[in-house]
Amino acid sequence: MDVKVELLPVGRAELLSDRQLAEPSAVVAARVAEARQRAVRRLSGTRWRLNAQIPGAELRRSFRPAPGALTPVERAMDLGEISARGVDRIVRMSWTLADLAGVDTPGQDEVAYALGLWLGVGQ
């Protein structure tokens, strides 16, 4: 997974207060299992089982995000912030985010978030 995230040091008080907001591991594990099943269902009939396995050309041809969803990526390409290979990685990540969110096709929210993770900026 190609993600660039800058983590800042966390103080003890902040860490302890976040425990109240944290999800139990079992809840997160169930969401991940469901996301993987969504990918398996979507990719049934292909030789792939994971978003990471889909070749770039096939990703662009058969697994496109929703219309208009790539606008932030196109802007980043115009600014020279990402390459064509980076676009493929961002689209793969947007599919993973859509699977985690229970969304059938990545929209602009998933693509923008994936772009932010790729660029290493907060969303």
Side-chain angles (χ1 to χ4, degrees), residues 23-121:
E23 293 179 288
S25 294
V27 172
V28 175
R31 188 168 52 251
V32 169
E34 177 57 32
R36 290 188 74 122
Q37 284 303 311
R38 291 178 70 79
V40 166
R41 285 191 298 270
R42 180 178 56 258
L43 298 172
S44 68
T46 72
R47 59 182 176 204
W48 310 295
R49 296 292 168 259
L50 303 171
N51 296 324
Q53 297 171 329
I54 306 169
E58 191 63 29
L59 189 69
R60 289 185 299 275
R61 185 174 27 253
S62 302
F63 298 98
R64 293 178 169 200
L70 291 175
T71 300
V73 173
E74 293 165 355
R75 192 170 348 165
M77 284 187 75
D78 291 344
L79 295 172
E81 295 176 327
I82 58 172
S83 65
R85 191 172 80 181
V87 171
D88 289 346
R89 291 177 175 181
I90 291 164
V91 171
R92 280 190 194 93
M93 174 63 72
S94 70
W95 274 105
T96 298
L97 292 169
D99 289 337
L100 286 167
V103 178
D104 290 336
T105 304
Q108 194 164 357
D109 289 344
E110 290 79 24
V111 172
Y113 192 51
L115 175 62
L117 291 171
W118 173 252
L119 294 175
V121 296

Side-chain angles (χ1 to χ4, degrees), residues 8-19:
L8 302 174
V10 177
R12 181 175 52 195
E14 187 179 24
L15 182 62
L16 293 175
S17 69
D18 281 350
R19 284 185 171 175

